[in-house]
Amino acid sequence: MSVFSFNQQTGYLSLLKHPIDSGFIATTTQLITLIEQSQYCDFEIIAVNISKLFAQSKNYQSESLIVAHAINAAITINIDDKNMVAEATIKTAKGGVLLSMQDAQKALFDAGISKGISPQALDNFLGQQFEHPAGSEYSAIIAHGRNPKKGLDAKFVRLCSTAQDRVLSPQAKEGGKVDMKNLGAIITVKPGTPLMQRVAATLGEDGYTVFGDIILAKPGKEHQLQPFEGTKIDPNNPNILIADCKGVPVALPRGMRVDDVLCFDNVDVSTGHIDFTGSVIISGDIKDGMHVKANGDITVLGFVESGTIHSKGAVTIMLGAIGRKREVDEAFSCHIIAQRTICIGYAQYCHIETAQDLFIERQALHCDLRAKRLIRVGKANNPRGKVIGGNILDALRLETGELGAPAGTKTKVFLAQHWFELREKQTEIFDFEKLLADKSAVLKNARIKANKIPTPAQRQLFLDKIQLNEQHIQTRTAQLQRQKQLIKHKIMQLLATSYLKVNDLMHPGVELKIAKDTKQFSRIYPPHLVKLSEGKITQAF
């Protein structure tokens, strides 16, 4: 027979009789043990009341017989500072009612949370009440806001192939052979030919907080097609660039240009040197001592033999370029210089320089190479070409299969040399800041003296001049601060993105310089990556 009485409405557990009257329970410990062994074991024990029941008292009958309390599960909702995450905390029931889905949803509603609620997360969260001890607390994230998605910038899609595209990816004829004849006719476009399409920027996708507040997305940047020489905007579609004349298409960052094209079988003494305002396509070779200069792209399907190429566009040499063997201080007999990307099959005893990327398909032997961005020797993705001897005068990154030779051929690699120019600019800014500070101090003294001029009109005249100079100094100081931050960012980006990647072997005799740090390598190394870390050249295998 139970000695307890439970009131469902109040949640209180009481003794049916005072321990003195019942004579059944003699001590506090016995009562607590009895509760813990009963169906009310999870209830919260009211220790104060139990102590009074066993205290010496003449008026014991007036003491409360309530000994425990059933406490329902409770939920609290916490939201982060950005209103993007809602975390719920449940304090499990102590003999009371478990928290239901309706209770949780009401708590979320009362907290103002209306978006990003995960029904599955909420269901799993509530189900964990059975796994945790009575009266314990546990938490989980049950609602997420969504960050806005920035819109995509406008982009430009080429609708036709350039000479470089055709040479690097020639079409196969029947039987599997590649036909490189009549390249000029293949890549020539006619008036009205679509050249490039502009894909408009997108607006992005708005985000929201857990309260349902909208976070506006930042739209992508709009860029317009730029019609260059020989092109125009399609009158029927402002997002299409078309050819305005017959010629060879040349790809540019935000548009295209159509150049006149000049085609030769070979360039030799019979043709003389070439200096052309458009693009040049040579289906054969450039012979010894010949010069080819063009404002457009230059494409050579054969070899360049101790020749000179200057292009304001891209240069593609299908087979390779070979100069004469030279002594240490002797000038190169083969020069290839371009403003845009250079692609070449093979290079030996050449000086090659580009303001963009340099791609050599097989090998660079005793060459001087310079590129503003990437020098890659080997085919794309995992280049396995060879760089043997010579100098990498400057580049941001170098990727190759092998670097150096087993015989220890001296090979120099200089990367991120633009660092010196940026550091020089930093020094110039520091010197100029010091000069402005000195001028500011002079003006401060001048203001003190001007305030002592007895004549008001003359005093004001001097003060106005001083103020004008002070404003000029403030403007120049603000400009210098922006320049200083920009150069600092450029230096950090330069050092972070500069590296040497060797996919096969690095041989002895390699000297590497990244920015100002130099390291000599005197043994063979397996595939690895070399970068600058905390100002020191480090290798990662």
Side-chain angles (χ1 to χ4, degrees):
M1 183 176 177
S2 176
V3 295
F4 300 113
S5 171
F6 177 57
N7 188 323
Q8 294 280 358
Q9 292 182 344
T10 62
Y12 287 115
L13 181 70
S14 305
L15 289 172
L16 292 173
K17 293 182 179 180
H18 196 283
I20 294 176
D21 294 335
S22 66
F24 177 67
I25 305 168
T27 65
T28 301
T29 304
Q30 284 182 353
L31 178 55
I32 293 174
T33 302
L34 192 63
I35 295 172
E36 290 176 345
Q37 292 176 350
S38 71
Q39 60 180 323
Y40 310 112
C41 58
D42 290 334
F43 284 30
E44 185 175 79
I45 293 172
I46 305 176
V48 174
N49 287 4
I50 292 176
S51 298
K52 289 181 180 179
L53 289 174
F54 294 96
Q56 295 294 328
S57 174
K58 294 180 181 180
N59 298 321
Y60 70 90
Q61 292 179 340
S62 64
E63 300 292 345
S64 174
L65 298 179
I66 297 173
V67 293
H69 185 203
I71 298 176
N72 297 336
I75 184 170
T76 55
I77 308 295
N78 295 308
I79 295 134
D80 73 330
D81 295 337
K82 296 181 179 179
N83 299 335
M84 296 299 286
V85 176
E87 183 183 58
T89 300
I90 285 181
K91 187 169 185 178
T92 56
K94 299 182 76 173
V97 181
L98 296 177
L99 199 73
S100 67
M101 179 64 76
Q102 291 75 16
D103 295 332
Q105 289 173 342
K106 183 178 183 303
L108 290 170
F109 178 80
D110 292 343
I113 296 170
S114 59
K115 294 281 285 184
I117 301 170
S118 171
Q120 184 177 357
L122 187 57
D123 188 54
N124 292 338
F125 177 60
L126 293 173
Q128 292 176 30
Q129 293 179 86
F130 298 99
E131 302 171 7
H132 289 80
S136 63
E137 291 187 357
Y138 67 96
S139 302
I141 293 171
I142 56 173
H144 283 276
R146 187 179 69 191
N147 288 315
K149 293 182 180 178
K150 183 181 180 298
L152 300 175
D153 294 344
K155 62 180 181 179
F156 303 93
V157 180
R158 277 197 281 138
L159 304 177
C160 66
S161 298
T162 64
Q164 196 169 72
D165 296 332
R166 288 288 187 178
V167 170
L168 297 178
S169 302
Q171 299 297 313
K173 298 191 301 181
E174 293 181 9
K177 294 183 179 180
V178 174
D179 186 10
M180 297 302 294
K181 295 180 181 179
N182 301 321
L183 183 66
I186 292 172
I187 65 170
T188 299
V189 294
K190 298 177 182 179
T193 302
L195 303 176
M196 181 173 278
Q197 180 181 4
R198 171 184 170 271
V199 179
T202 61
L203 295 176
E205 190 175 343
D206 290 343
Y208 53 79
T209 69
V210 293
F211 293 130
D213 300 324
I214 299 299
I215 306 173
L216 296 177
K218 186 178 180 181
K221 294 180 181 178
E222 281 290 6
H223 301 295
Q224 299 302 320
L225 278 169
Q226 295 184 7
F228 293 94
E229 187 177 354
T231 67
K232 66 178 182 180
I233 302 295
D234 188 339
N236 299 318
N237 188 343
N239 291 319
I240 298 290
L241 188 70
I242 61 174
D244 196 29
C245 63
K246 185 177 180 180
V248 175
V250 176
L252 298 170
R254 295 183 188 175
M256 295 190 78
R257 185 180 74 230
V258 175
D259 287 346
D260 291 334
V261 61
L262 200 58
C263 297
F264 295 92
D265 290 333
N266 294 291
V267 175
D268 51 26
V269 291
S270 64
T271 62
H273 299 311
I274 307 299
D275 190 345
F276 189 57
T277 55
S279 294
V280 176
I281 296 176
I282 302 160
S283 56
D285 304 327
I286 297 177
K287 299 299 184 179
D288 193 346
M290 303 310 296
H291 294 203
V292 178
K293 185 178 180 180
N295 289 343
D297 295 349
I298 297 175
T299 304
V300 182
L301 302 186
F303 283 98
V304 177
E305 303 169 4
S306 293
T308 299
I309 291 178
H310 282 267
S311 170
K312 291 184 179 178
V315 171
T316 305
I317 303 170
M318 191 67 178
L319 296 182
I322 304 173
R324 288 187 293 273
K325 188 175 181 180
R326 69 187 190 102
E327 299 300 326
V328 177
D329 297 327
E330 189 179 353
F332 285 97
S333 61
C334 187
H335 294 264
I336 301 165
I337 299 171
Q339 292 296 313
R340 296 176 59 236
T341 299
I342 295 176
C343 295
I344 186 169
Y346 169 88
Q348 181 175 338
Y349 293 109
C350 299
H351 176 89
I352 305 175
E353 188 172 334
T354 171
Q356 292 187 359
D357 298 321
L358 170 58
F359 301 133
I360 301 174
E361 188 175 351
R362 293 182 294 280
Q363 180 172 283
L365 182 63
H366 299 295
C367 296
D368 278 3
L369 310 177
R370 185 191 301 272
K372 205 78 172 179
R373 301 187 305 213
L374 169 66
I375 296 179
R376 187 183 70 212
V377 185
K379 295 184 178 180
N381 299 327
N382 189 29
R384 294 189 176 275
K386 297 180 180 180
V387 178
I388 300 173
N391 304 289
I392 306 296
L393 300 174
D394 191 17
L396 184 62
R397 303 182 298 275
L398 172 62
E399 296 180 3
T400 184
E402 290 189 39
L403 184 61
T409 305
K410 194 171 184 180
T411 307
K412 293 184 178 181
V413 178
F414 292 175
L415 303 178
Q417 296 306 288
H418 185 49
W419 180 86
F420 291 96
E421 184 181 337
L422 294 173
R423 287 289 292 172
E424 188 176 340
K425 288 182 180 179
Q426 275 189 326
T427 302
E428 289 175 1
I429 289 174
F430 176 78
D431 293 340
F432 198 36
E433 280 182 325
K434 189 176 179 181
L435 179 63
L436 289 178
D438 292 341
K439 286 186 176 181
S440 182
V442 171
L443 289 174
K444 187 176 181 180
N445 292 330
R447 180 177 286 276
I448 294 171
K449 293 179 180 178
N451 284 323
K452 296 179 181 179
I453 297 175
T455 309
Q458 190 177 10
R459 180 172 64 248
Q460 191 59 45
L461 179 65
F462 275 101
L463 289 174
D464 289 343
K465 288 182 179 180
I466 291 169
Q467 186 177 9
L468 188 64
N469 282 306
E470 286 175 339
Q471 289 175 348
H472 177 70
I473 288 174
Q474 288 174 356
T475 302
R476 291 294 293 128
T477 301
Q479 291 174 348
L480 286 177
Q481 287 298 320
R482 289 192 294 270
Q483 290 177 9
K484 191 160 65 172
Q485 289 300 319
L486 179 61
I487 291 173
K488 182 181 178 181
H489 176 72
K490 285 183 176 180
I491 290 175
M492 290 174 63
Q493 190 175 33
L494 177 71
L495 298 180
T497 56
S498 184
Y499 64 80
L500 163 66
K501 186 179 182 184
V502 178
N503 293 320
D504 286 330
L505 292 172
M506 183 161 72
H507 297 282
V510 173
E511 178 186 342
L512 174 63
K513 185 175 184 180
I514 302 179
K516 67 174 182 177
D517 194 41
T518 305
K519 189 170 184 178
Q520 306 275 350
F521 297 92
S522 57
R523 67 178 183 87
I524 295 176
Y525 289 93
H528 66 291
L529 183 74
V530 189
K531 293 189 71 173
L532 201 68
S533 177
E534 297 181 356
K536 295 293 181 182
I537 292 175
T538 57
Q539 295 171 273
F541 296 90

